[in-house]
Amino acid sequence: MKKKQIKKLINQVFDNETPFMLEKIKEDCKLVKQVEPIKTELLETKEKKTPSFYRRLVLGGVMACVLALGIAIGNISPEKIVHAKETTIYLDVNPSIEIQIDKNQRIIECIPNNDEAVKILTNISLKGVEIDTALYAIVGSMYVNGYLNTDTNSILVSVDSLKDNESILLDDISKQIDQVFQDNEYMECSIIAQKVNSDELKEKADDLDISVGKMHLVEKLIYSSDLYSSNNLEELAKMSIHELNVIYQSLNEENKSEDVITGTLSGFIDKEQAIVQVLEHINQEITDVINYEIMTIYHYDINNNPHMVYFISMKLKNEFARKYYIVDCLTGEMLSEDIIKDWFEKFYYFGTN
Amino acid sequence: MDRFDEKSKNSIVEQCIISLADGDMSAMDLLYETIKKDVYAFALSKVCDKFEADDILHDTFIRIYENAKLYNPMGRPMAWIFTIEINLINRYFQIKSRNVTYDEEIMVNTASNDSGNSNSSLDLEDMQKLLSQLNEFEREVIMLHIVSDLKFREIADQLDKPLSTVLSKYNRAMKKLQKILKEDKS
């Protein structure tokens, strides 16, 4: 059954089945005294304390407790015996943290790789703490500091290990991070865990001022996607992990086969939703469309930062010319509509060019 | 309903509320005809019970009348009406949590055990069962978009959720409905 038929069906039911109680309502209204406005302050202009505000408050509280626990464990734990470095884990949200652990999966050192990470690690001493507890504390701190929210989270985990246990570690760490989000039903997160070779990537990553993990992801996108080439290296490096994740999810499975992908990628609209958004905007149904093409590209905002958009070209039954639309991947906002392609090419960068 | 109709619906509803505020009770007839389906479908999507939805429909119109003088005409009367309705529904859930042990799971199970509907036409009971297989948020989005013709952005504002979440829930819910109806048909 097509969506249009379902819509019709639902509407039919409520057309036929909504009870008729007008007379009773009118009778009962006679018993009700209308509320007189005291002043011009009105119902819907009152500032609402939205559920999300409370939710954030509660989540913030929970995360702060977790963070405090992490701090306490870090500072008080009597067992701080650590061995030599065996594995380095790079954690990227936009804060970028390098975590060195020993063979017992205890933290040797946490190194902030950018200013945001300095903020995350301030007042947390994680030396000697087991990695699962440390991850809980770090993710908690990221939430409290506003780098994670309830809807649009992506975490990139990159593991470089001296041992051949990388695959197990990838799996373990992904599960541990995912558990933090599972524990809180309101939060969703998509986690990409990948193996990296720090020695190969360090220099290139330093040149672009990004982490080894992000460098590896960017390279993977360039090598695996037809839309990007090495010319796009700097643009991709400037993107958030969440945006890179949007591109990453569109890669073929074979390009992702070595990685562990956990959780749900939310907070962006997929291609089908972008089409729905356009059709909704122009008040057409999918049956009115003869054909369409959609691709994920990026464009520069007023601060010259690249971010992801869908470029959609569409031929409609009742339109002579093909129409072009641009929809923001993250917000679903229609950025431009009914534009001509020449104009588009002047302002938007195609990765294939 | 096209955009012109939607604008015209908003202005009809707004005018009715203003007339009610002026004491013109005849405006209730037009108001009821114009929005009864929106109010009822949204109530049913939240409470999953025909009789409770009937009560919420009734009480919403009473509250509209009662508060009509407080309405500030800003071209978005449906947002105001849904706010009234949501408050009534919240109150219903508060009372239910104190008094009743009704469990929505029961309805879900009943629905999933029931088969053999012809889906070329459904009655309200079938619709209840169908909707009970969606979660509350999915039901709200479906009702507000399909029955009340709200745009996704308006639904996002009304429910205080990100647009992307609303879009994704809508698509997920439609896919679920397609699947259920397909299974029922076969």
Side-chain angles (χ1 to χ4, degrees):
Chain A
M1 184 173 274
K2 289 179 180 171
K3 286 182 181 177
K4 202 172 181 177
Q5 288 172 296
I6 295 177
K7 283 182 182 182
K8 200 176 160 192
L9 194 66
I10 292 174
N11 267 309
Q12 265 175 1
V13 171
F14 287 103
D15 278 336
N16 298 334
E17 304 270 358
T18 302
F20 188 81
M21 48 174 67
L22 178 62
E23 293 312 317
K24 179 159 179 17
I25 289 168
K26 285 168 80 174
E27 276 301 306
D28 290 348
C29 281
K30 288 178 190 165
L31 307 172
V32 174
K33 193 170 181 290
Q34 285 191 313
V35 179
E36 295 291 332
I38 298 167
K39 48 186 178 179
T40 52
E41 190 182 15
L42 297 161
L43 210 73
E44 77 266 46
T45 55
K46 267 186 188 174
E47 197 179 333
K48 282 197 298 183
K49 283 183 179 175
T50 63
S52 85
F53 171 79
Y54 286 118
R55 208 171 65 188
R56 279 166 189 277
L57 205 65
V58 172
L59 287 177
V62 170
M63 287 303 186
C65 292
V66 168
L67 183 59
L69 182 72
I71 294 167
I73 291 168
N75 286 326
I76 297 164
S77 172
E79 191 60 57
K80 285 192 177 180
I81 301 163
V82 289
H83 299 87
K85 180 178 100 171
E86 188 178 271
T87 302
T88 305
I89 299 165
Y90 300 91
L91 212 59
D92 286 275
V93 173
N94 274 337
S96 176
I97 296 169
E98 183 179 327
I99 306 167
Q100 295 177 353
I101 57 173
D102 67 9
K103 62 177 182 180
N104 296 324
Q105 297 200 3
R106 285 185 182 273
I107 309 285
I108 300 169
E109 194 177 8
C110 282
I111 304 163
N113 281 335
N114 54 17
D115 292 342
E116 292 152 315
V118 172
K119 203 171 158 189
I120 297 302
L121 295 174
T122 301
N123 298 328
I124 311 182
S125 168
L126 295 169
K127 192 175 177 184
V129 175
E130 285 184 9
I131 183 71
D132 52 351
T133 311
L135 287 173
Y136 222 92
I138 290 170
V139 171
S141 179
M142 283 183 179
Y143 180 82
V144 170
N145 284 290
Y147 296 108
L148 294 173
N149 54 46
T150 50
D151 297 299
T152 55
N153 303 308
S154 288
I155 297 183
L156 176 65
V157 180
S158 312
V159 174
D160 184 3
S161 180
L162 298 173
K163 297 277 179 185
D164 294 334
N165 60 352
E166 280 172 320
S167 299
I168 300 165
L169 257 177
L170 282 182
D171 208 37
D172 277 357
I173 291 168
S174 305
K175 279 182 187 157
Q176 284 161 13
I177 296 176
D178 193 42
Q179 191 56 47
V180 179
F181 289 89
Q182 294 285 334
D183 287 349
N184 196 318
E185 60 176 322
Y186 293 119
M187 291 178 76
E188 284 189 346
C189 183
S190 170
I191 303 151
I192 309 170
Q194 58 180 6
K195 294 177 198 173
V196 292
N197 184 331
S198 306
D199 295 339
E200 283 177 9
L201 295 161
K202 189 88 176 82
E203 200 179 325
K204 285 185 270 185
D206 287 347
D207 282 349
L208 290 167
D209 202 18
I210 58 176
S211 75
V212 163
K214 192 172 181 181
M215 186 71 226
H216 187 63
L217 181 64
V218 165
E219 285 198 337
K220 198 166 0 191
L221 296 179
I222 288 171
Y223 295 138
S224 313
S225 169
D226 294 336
L227 281 174
Y228 305 102
S229 70
S230 53
N231 295 334
N232 308 119
L233 194 66
E234 285 187 23
E235 283 82 4
L236 290 167
K238 281 182 192 170
M239 286 186 177
S240 69
I241 296 295
H242 193 65
E243 287 181 311
L244 293 175
N245 194 3
V246 175
I247 307 173
Y248 174 84
Q249 300 286 341
S250 66
L251 295 182
N252 293 331
E253 286 308 312
E254 63 190 69
N255 296 314
K256 300 187 276 190
S257 59
E258 284 207 328
D259 305 333
V260 178
I261 302 155
T262 324
T264 315
L265 179 61
S266 61
F268 84 103
I269 62 167
D270 63 24
K271 288 180 179 176
E272 193 184 340
Q273 291 164 352
I275 298 291
V276 170
Q277 183 72 350
V278 168
L279 292 174
E280 153 111 347
H281 191 81
I282 59 175
N283 198 28
Q284 302 282 337
E285 292 285 340
I286 192 70
T287 46
D288 301 320
V289 179
I290 296 171
N291 58 47
Y292 68 82
E293 282 181 70
I294 179 164
M295 59 180 122
T296 315
I297 56 169
Y298 54 84
H299 87 114
Y300 294 96
D301 62 19
I302 49 169
N303 298 319
N304 211 26
N305 291 320
H307 69 104
M308 303 306 304
V309 294
Y310 288 121
F311 173 61
I312 299 162
S313 74
M314 195 177 273
K315 180 82 179 86
L316 294 159
K317 278 180 189 167
N318 55 354
E319 297 281 354
F320 180 72
R322 202 168 182 81
K323 303 279 185 179
Y324 299 91
Y325 305 92
I326 295 168
V327 176
D328 191 307
C329 288
L330 298 179
T331 64
E333 189 184 350
M334 179 85 80
L335 298 174
S336 295
E337 61 178 301
D338 199 11
I339 51 173
I340 55 168
K341 198 160 185 268
D342 290 347
W343 181 91
F344 176 83
E345 282 176 337
K346 281 181 194 166
F347 288 90
Y348 292 88
Y349 182 84
F350 278 91
T352 45
N353 286 351
Chain B
M1 185 180 288
D2 61 25
R3 293 287 165 242
F4 175 78
D5 285 343
E6 193 182 304
K7 278 183 187 165
S8 124
K9 177 179 168 181
N10 274 336
S11 82
I12 290 169
V13 173
E14 191 154 277
Q15 195 50 54
C16 287
I17 299 170
I18 293 166
S19 300
L20 284 175
D22 291 341
D24 177 7
M25 220 24 218
S26 65
M28 185 59 89
D29 296 37
L30 182 56
L31 182 67
Y32 186 79
E33 270 315 304
T34 313
I35 64 164
K36 64 177 181 189
K37 196 173 77 166
D38 309 50
V39 174
Y40 188 65
F42 187 66
L44 197 71
S45 77
K46 295 285 278 183
V47 300
C48 289
D49 182 287
K50 184 195 174 314
F51 300 107
E52 298 294 350
D54 288 359
D55 285 350
I56 287 165
L57 174 70
H58 169 270
D59 291 356
T60 302
F61 279 93
I62 300 291
R63 281 288 176 87
I64 292 170
Y65 172 76
E66 194 179 1
N67 292 295
K69 289 184 179 177
L70 303 178
Y71 175 68
N72 181 25
M74 288 166 68
R76 297 182 64 220
M78 291 311 291
W80 184 74
I81 289 167
F82 281 128
T83 305
I84 288 177
E85 190 176 9
I86 287 169
N87 288 338
L88 283 168
I89 290 166
N90 289 341
R91 203 183 62 172
Y92 156 79
F93 279 118
Q94 281 167 6
I95 294 167
K96 193 183 104 167
S97 67
R98 283 201 295 267
N99 299 334
V100 190
T101 55
Y102 175 84
D103 188 352
E104 195 178 311
E105 287 295 318
I106 296 167
M107 182 178 272
V108 174
N109 292 336
T110 315
S112 56
N113 292 335
D114 200 323
S115 60
N117 285 329
S118 157
N119 52 41
S120 60
S121 69
L122 298 176
D123 62 17
L124 198 61
E125 202 178 330
D126 297 329
M127 182 57 65
Q128 264 180 271
K129 286 174 185 169
L130 188 65
L131 293 176
S132 70
Q133 303 203 38
L134 305 178
N135 66 38
E136 186 184 331
F137 186 34
E138 288 169 342
R139 286 197 299 268
E140 282 173 40
V141 174
I142 288 282
M143 289 303 137
L144 289 174
H145 182 64
I146 295 180
V147 182
S148 303
D149 256 322
L150 292 194
K151 287 185 252 178
F152 290 117
R153 187 164 290 285
E154 290 170 329
I155 297 172
D157 289 346
Q158 189 67 45
L159 302 179
D160 193 25
K161 300 276 186 199
L163 175 64
S164 53
T165 309
V166 170
L167 282 165
S168 113
K169 293 290 176 194
Y170 174 76
N171 277 318
R172 215 173 289 173
M174 284 303 273
K175 277 180 188 161
K176 270 194 205 174
L177 291 178
Q178 277 178 313
K179 192 168 170 250
I180 296 163
L181 289 168
K182 194 178 169 189
E183 281 167 6
D184 270 5
K185 212 170 189 177
S186 64

